[in-house]
Amino acid sequence: MALIVVLAVFLSWRLVPTASADEVCLRIALPEATRGGFGLEIYRDVMREVGVCVEPVRMPNARAVAAMQHGDIEGVFAVLDEFEDLVGVPMVRGNVLVGNPQGLLVVRDGTINELSDLTDQEVGIWLGASWSEALLGEYKHVVRCPGGPQMMQNMLARGRIDAMLINGFSLEVLGGVPDGFVSIPVMNLPVYSWLHADHARHLTQFDKGTELFRNKIIEWRKKAL
């Protein structure tokens, strides 16, 4: 009997898949917008389910550009189409639409009706959010916030900025439009996952994991509402 038990344990151990010594674990940047609602371990787990080893790291968009240029990361979970042009290195875009949130101007109620009404209001933008830079163009009263949505929200509450440009998903994560303010849609922001071209062979599995993680985020958002 003891021999049978030992043999069974040995066989079961042989059947458990183990990571090979040369397995690549991809470092993937996740936007800070998911902080507090969604853990990095969930992303790691769903990617493991589809056979991709990832090491997710929280990283603002501006830092992700520099990190990709210096080889500190191998991909990003959610960023705009212009990412490849910004980093200037060969990239492959995922085939799964991660999201299509609206770009919103959040401003005090009754003061502004559209973006062109801005005059001397201090507008906070997420450092590295090129869509915000492009929309504001030559507008002079721009405050670039390296701390992202949370930092902009705090500055808005303290009166250090008069308005902020933010994507709809990040605004939801923050709890919605603050009291006394309104949100004005200014554009749509389709976002995708990206991998360095050196890891294009993982794209099919990566897409499957991206879709799983996106669906989990959607479920979480429904429960949070």
Side-chain angles (χ1 to χ4, degrees):
M1 178 63 72
L3 179 59
I4 294 175
V5 172
V6 171
L7 183 59
V9 170
F10 175 75
L11 288 174
S12 65
W13 174 77
R14 290 297 300 270
L15 291 173
V16 174
T18 57
S20 60
D22 59 349
E23 180 183 16
V24 175
C25 204
L26 305 176
R27 291 160 296 183
I28 307 296
L30 265 69
E32 292 181 318
T34 54
R35 185 185 302 278
F38 235 69
L40 301 181
E41 68 282 353
I42 299 176
Y43 184 71
R44 188 184 295 115
D45 289 346
V46 297
M47 283 297 179
R48 187 184 296 121
E49 285 182 33
V50 299
V52 180
C53 177
V54 300
E55 186 55 44
V57 290
R58 296 274 186 212
M59 191 174 291
N61 291 338
R63 187 175 155 207
V65 171
M68 183 64 73
Q69 290 171 336
H70 294 105
D72 296 329
I73 58 174
E74 283 75 48
V76 291
F77 167 64
V79 73
L80 297 173
D81 256 354
E82 60 199 15
F83 184 70
E84 184 175 23
D85 293 333
L86 292 174
V87 298
V89 299
M91 304 288 299
V92 288
R93 196 192 77 179
N95 298 301
V96 176
L97 179 65
V98 176
N100 192 23
Q102 287 185 317
L104 302 169
L105 175 67
V106 176
V107 66
R108 192 168 295 281
D109 190 14
T111 58
I112 299 292
N113 294 313
E114 56 187 31
L115 200 66
S116 60
D117 290 338
L118 292 171
T119 53
D120 59 355
Q121 290 82 8
E122 298 291 329
V123 181
I125 68 171
W126 192 347
L127 181 64
S130 53
W131 67 271
S132 301
E133 297 275 7
L135 276 178
L136 290 173
E138 298 300 317
Y139 188 73
K140 299 183 183 302
H141 304 280
V142 178
V143 180
R144 296 168 178 85
C145 304
Q150 186 67 60
M151 181 177 181
M152 291 194 294
Q153 184 190 52
N154 291 338
M155 293 179 70
L156 197 66
R158 297 175 183 177
R160 295 177 61 187
I161 57 176
D162 304 304
M164 63 179 178
L165 277 173
I166 189 171
N167 68 75
F169 174 71
S170 296
L171 186 61
E172 281 186 27
V173 172
L174 292 175
V177 182
D179 291 340
F181 289 79
V182 294
S183 63
I184 301 169
V186 290
M187 68 181 299
N188 287 328
L189 301 167
V191 294
Y192 295 86
S193 290
W194 290 79
L195 281 178
H196 192 285
D198 287 349
H199 305 285
R201 64 188 181 278
H202 298 294
L203 187 61
T204 299
Q205 292 166 293
F206 192 66
D207 278 344
K208 291 179 181 177
T210 297
E211 187 166 15
L212 282 173
F213 187 62
R214 182 200 61 184
N215 291 342
K216 286 183 179 292
I217 291 178
I218 292 172
E219 291 173 8
W220 168 74
R221 290 171 66 185
K222 288 179 179 177
K223 292 177 181 178
L225 292 177

